[in-house]
Structure formats: C-alpha cells, structure tokens
Amino acid sequence: DGEKIVVTQASTAGSTMFVKVAALALLLAPASGFSFGKAPAKKAAAATTNADGTVATPLRWKPAFGDYAALEARQAARAEKKAAVKDGLVPTPLKFQFAFGKPEALAARRAERLAKWEWSDSFLARARPDLNNYGAGEFYDDGLTTLERNQIAAGKEAYLTGGAKLRLKVLRGEI
C-alpha cells in the first residue's frame, strides 16, 4: 500500500506541473505575436562598395559645393533644429541677460536702479511708527543731522564738530 500511495502522489505532482507548464505555454504563445509598442527593427542599409573595395560615402556627408539647393536644405534643417531647441527653453529675463550691446536691457536696468532711489515729499513725510519713523517733520537743507540741530538748540558746543560748531557760533554772533 505504501508504494502505491507514493507512486500516485508522484504522478499527481508530475501531472500538475505538466498542466502548469502547458497552460503557461498556451498563454505566452499568442502574446509573442504582438509588439507591445516596440517598433520593428529596421534593416541596416547595405553599404555600396566600389569596384576597388572601398565603401562609398553617403550623400549627407559629401560637400555640397555648387549645389545651392542642398546648401539651402542643410541651412534650413539647421535653423529648424535650432528653433526647436529654443522653443523648449525658458526665456531669460532682462535682469539676467548679458547687456553689452543691448540698449533696451541697459535702459530697463537703469530705470529700475533709478526707481529705487526716487524720493518724493509724500514718501518722506509718510509716518511709519512700526519702523521708528514718526513722520519727517520739517526739512532743512543745511546739511546738519537731526542730532546736531538738537545739540545746537540745547547750546551744547562741546558735542559739535565742523559745520555744526560754525553754525552755533554764527547763531551766537561769535563769528
């Protein structure tokens, strides 16, 4: 009895393995006829050989001296390829372009630079307490700082130098 069981189990295991392999072969056989998006392999162009055994140069590598149609075709192909590459690029802003010989880029940069330093009375008089600017007050064109003006008003000559000291002496009538 023990031998029959072993033989039966071995034949069952072998037959299930055979069934699995056969099923796999049946599933894969029809699939081999499909390309799944892969392009069919192109045949290599046969190189033409001359009588002396040398290989002829392809036309695209030959010079086109005097063949203006070929020259124009090559130039058009180069221009088309260059344009296709440029279309894929992000344009460089004027701020980062090399500006030598480009007056529009230079003018734009100059206008931007000058706009930063453009001061107006309304800008100066605007109070910004959050930035410690409580309003400009009155403007003087004497070249003295607010600290120097305060020290002149308080009569503190020892803390003044240069033009501020002269201003104090003029106000006192010493000069």
Side-chain angles (χ1 to χ4, degrees):
D1 282 345
E3 291 176 16
K4 287 183 182 178
I5 295 172
V6 172
V7 172
T8 309
Q9 286 177 348
S11 65
T12 306
S15 65
T16 56
M17 181 60 86
F18 174 74
V19 170
K20 287 180 183 177
V21 171
L24 185 62
L26 288 174
L27 289 174
L28 292 179
S32 64
F34 298 108
S35 67
F36 295 109
K38 188 176 176 184
K42 294 182 181 179
K43 294 181 181 178
T48 57
T49 55
N50 296 335
D52 59 352
T54 59
V55 178
T57 305
L59 287 176
R60 63 186 168 141
W61 291 336
K62 287 186 177 180
F65 297 120
D67 187 2
Y68 297 107
L71 290 172
E72 288 176 0
R74 290 178 185 179
Q75 186 178 13
R78 281 193 305 269
E80 186 177 323
K81 185 177 179 183
K82 186 177 178 181
V85 168
K86 279 188 175 182
D87 287 342
L89 298 176
V90 176
T92 306
L94 279 177
K95 182 177 184 180
F96 301 112
Q97 281 185 6
F98 183 69
F100 184 71
K102 296 181 182 177
E104 67 278 355
L106 290 172
R109 288 183 186 176
R110 183 172 191 272
E112 183 181 347
R113 194 171 53 247
L114 292 177
K116 283 189 213 173
W117 299 106
E118 191 173 302
W119 293 77
S120 64
D121 293 339
S122 64
F123 173 75
L124 292 173
R126 217 172 283 135
R128 287 292 306 270
D130 57 327
L131 298 177
N132 295 328
N133 178 15
Y134 294 96
E138 295 182 17
F139 294 103
Y140 300 95
D141 198 16
D142 57 3
L144 299 178
T145 64
T146 306
L147 177 65
E148 288 172 335
R149 274 192 230 97
N150 291 341
Q151 289 174 343
I152 289 171
K156 299 180 180 177
E157 185 178 349
Y159 300 107
L160 298 173
T161 59
K165 189 174 265 190
L166 285 174
R167 172 76 182 235
L168 178 64
K169 289 185 178 186
V170 167
L171 289 175
R172 287 184 180 166
E174 297 174 10
I175 295 181

